[in-house]
DNA sequence: GTCAGGGCGGAATAATTTATTCATCAGACC
DNA sequence: GGTCTGATGAATAAATTATTCCGCCCTGAC
């Protein structure tokens, strides 16, 4: 919890002097950062020693520590959207409104998606990805782009990731798979025919299947070994599936980062890939 | 610019004592926050007065101000955890940390990107997109996926959007373009050779060019007619360009939504497309 | 009603930390 | 070689912060 929040929460339980000091800090964190303990005391009409004791009672080792914490709070204060913004984007909305709704709905999709997946299930997915001989990716339409994104990242880690925009090729790929392999099937609805068939094929050959799909019951979810959920705006026509894609990306990014955590040389691999790709950039000069 | 970056940028021009102090701070910002000027002097083998002077030469009023700035940097540091997270034994901790960093970094990239682009420039981009006969999209690597995403959305609106993952094909496409056409060139660095050449070609044929690129000066930005900025974590190796991609998507989503605003029948178009695509889903049953 | 105990608050003071001054030194420039 | 400039750190001054101590008020016991 941020310092300011902590101060506000305890304001009632504080002694008069502490309350006055706390209130001032909560209301003027910026100003407080420029004040010494004595100056803050003068502002609040209290003594310098009370200011120091206030910091200590809050659990800080020193007044300077309190200032650092307040500074951290200021830097992290993003004025989060007050609440979930309902409704779609109306025609008459101006630039600022569109912006606000876009950002907050993206944020919401992200937050709710990561909240919908427990550490355990994500952990299972990461272990499966980590252990797989080959990782196949399946997805059509917008999900295909998410699959490509993940495959690109996995390749950077030296993993064998196989993905193609053409679902026929995807099918051909998994048809050669076996029990040591893993399929990541991505479909928000969980009913995309191609993705489903590919998942069935993979399963038939003994491969494990990670499904990344919506919360509702669906065929893809039912046949998966590991099930990860994406949460998005249900009105896909109006939102153009933006939030569904963001939710999928948030989840695949999370998987990727968790794999990086488990791979000590991940940093080197990524770096080497970047260097190799950078060579392409300068090749034409 | 963050303090740490500022220090690193000036490191070469500094005197020996300042360089030593600056290097220590850049490498151990966390540790530095817990040190007094004298303690920091001891760590670096320099005198306490040199530390104070270092802060003053950097433009800070006091050593404490420097500390506050470093603290702010630490709080705003949105580098995603790329290495093993130390100090936490439980796996749950690692999970929560990665999650927190991921979500806040994504959110931040999004926010700062939309904030970096004024309504006027976005408006110009939207008008150009709206008026264009054909919209070409160019981008390689991860940017190619963003280009595909946008093209898919534009197609849903009935626009003529032309995109291909192969840069040779992209080049061939724009080579047939003319003054009524528009190219959206996407590259975070603004130096990707293929994207640049394609933009040059488009420009040579009279087409307008919208560049979606980072804040730094770069060749792509210079030759663009309309310039949109993306803000992301600078450390692409560690963050694996996740935030750069998110920033690009936030911007392209915004452009898309603004076009939807201007097109009265947009929702009908999107709906028809969804229905048509849905027919594919059930075809195999 | 009075008294003891405990905590709070602030003045005074001690301790620590920061800023400035000053002497020295090294290198640049004439 | 002489002089100037700027860097450096020791010494010192200034400031800030932490602690001590004492009076006060409140509370509860008798």
């Amino acid at each position: 919890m941020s310092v300011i929040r902590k101060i506000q929460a305890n304001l009632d339980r504080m002694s008069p002097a502490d309350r006055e000091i706390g209130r001032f800090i909560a209301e003027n964190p910026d100003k407080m950062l420029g004040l010494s303990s004595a100056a803050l005391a003068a502002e609040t009409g209290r003594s310098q020693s009370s200011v120091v004791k206030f910091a200590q009672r809050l659990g800080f080792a020193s007044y300077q520590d309190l200032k650092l914490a307040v500074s951290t709070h200021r830097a992290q204060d993003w004025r989060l959207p007050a609440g979930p913004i309902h409704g779609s984007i109306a025609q008459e909305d101006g630039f600022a409104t569109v912006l606000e709704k876009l950002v907050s709905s993206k944020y919401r999709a992200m937050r709710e998606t990561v909240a919908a997946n427990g550490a355990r299930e994500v952990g299972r997915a990461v272990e499966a990805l980590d252990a797989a001989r080959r990782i196949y990716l399946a997805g059509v339409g917008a999900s295909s782009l998410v699959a490509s994104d993940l495959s690109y990242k996995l390749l950077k880690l030296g993993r064998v990731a196989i993905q193609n925009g053409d679902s026929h090729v995807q099918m051909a790929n998994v048809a050669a798979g076996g029990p040591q392999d893993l399929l990541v099937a991505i479909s928000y609805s969980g009913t995309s025919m191609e993705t489903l068939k590919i998942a069935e094929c993979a399963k038939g050959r003994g491969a494990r299947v990670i499904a990344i799909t919506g919360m509702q019951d669906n065929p893809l979810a039912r046949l998966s070994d590991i099930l990860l959920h994406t949460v998005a705006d249900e009105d896909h026509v109006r939102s153009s599936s933006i939030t569904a894609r963001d939710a999928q990306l948030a989840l695949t990014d999370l998987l990727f980062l968790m794999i990086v955590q488990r791979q000590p040389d991940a940093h080197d691999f990524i770096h080497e890939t970047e260097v190799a790709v950078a060579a392409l950039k300068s090749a034409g000069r």
Side-chain angles (χ1 to χ4, degrees), chain A:
Chain A
M1 201 198 293
S2 90
V3 216
I4 304 294
R5 218 104 61 77
K6 190 173 174 185
I7 290 174
Q8 283 171 333
N10 295 333
L11 225 47
D12 296 336
R13 266 160 289 170
M14 289 178 180
S15 60
D18 280 5
R19 182 154 49 238
E20 201 146 3
I21 294 165
R23 199 159 44 76
F24 182 88
I25 295 174
E27 286 169 10
N28 313 284
D30 279 328
K31 201 168 174 185
M32 177 267 183
L33 288 177
L35 300 174
S36 68
S37 61
L40 177 55
E43 286 281 347
T44 55
R46 294 288 157 160
S47 73
Q48 179 262 340
S49 64
S50 290
V51 172
V52 173
K53 284 172 194 165
F54 171 81
Q56 292 172 337
R57 271 197 278 266
L58 266 176
F60 294 98
S62 69
Y63 174 67
Q64 288 302 335
D65 268 15
L66 169 62
K67 272 174 89 163
L68 288 178
V70 172
S71 159
T72 297
H73 164 86
R74 291 296 314 162
Q76 286 180 338
D77 180 22
W78 290 107
R79 287 198 299 275
L80 294 175
I85 294 183
H86 295 293
S88 57
I89 293 164
Q91 180 111 23
E92 64 275 13
D93 282 350
F95 177 73
T97 314
V98 174
L99 213 76
E100 193 52 43
K101 287 188 178 174
L102 174 66
V103 169
S104 57
S105 52
K106 275 169 163 280
Y107 180 66
R108 188 165 159 226
M110 212 159 75
R111 269 262 176 245
E112 297 198 357
T113 293
V114 296
N117 294 281
R120 184 170 307 164
E121 198 72 356
V122 174
R124 284 184 62 214
V126 171
E127 269 167 38
L129 282 163
D130 200 31
R133 183 182 58 170
R134 285 191 289 252
I135 300 166
Y136 301 109
L137 296 116
V140 293
S143 301
S144 163
L145 298 175
V146 176
S148 295
D149 186 274
L150 180 57
S151 77
Y152 189 35
K153 287 198 175 61
L154 290 173
L155 288 171
K156 281 191 194 172
L157 290 181
R159 306 296 168 126
V160 182
I162 300 168
Q163 148 68 3
N164 193 290
D166 187 321
S167 54
H168 287 221
V169 178
Q170 289 175 15
M171 179 62 101
N173 285 333
V174 297
Q180 295 166 281
D181 300 332
L182 177 72
L183 172 73
V184 179
I186 308 176
S187 167
Y188 184 78
S189 68
T191 61
S192 298
M193 191 263 291
E194 293 89 343
T195 307
L196 257 178
K197 296 278 186 207
I198 290 164
E200 280 168 11
C201 175
K203 205 138 196 227
R205 297 194 57 85
R208 303 186 78 189
V209 175
I210 296 179
I212 297 181
T213 184
M215 297 284 278
Q216 75 286 4
D217 181 50
N218 65 60
L220 181 58
R222 281 196 294 273
L223 69 72
S224 66
D225 298 295
I226 298 167
L227 179 57
L228 298 175
H229 291 296
T230 52
V231 182
D233 181 355
E234 289 298 323
D235 188 346
H236 289 226
V237 173
R238 286 176 181 279
S239 70
S240 309
S241 303
I242 286 173
T243 52
R245 180 209 59 204
D246 286 343
Q248 290 171 348
L249 285 174
L251 208 45
T252 54
D253 287 343
L254 178 60
L255 291 176
F256 169 74
L257 288 175
M258 296 294 287
I259 293 169
V260 168
Q261 292 280 308
R262 295 168 65 103
Q263 186 172 327
D265 59 354
H267 190 276
D268 300 334
F269 261 103
I270 296 173
H271 186 69
E272 277 169 30
T273 310
E274 302 269 332
V275 169
V277 173
L280 263 188
K281 281 191 186 174
S282 54
R285 296 212 185 124

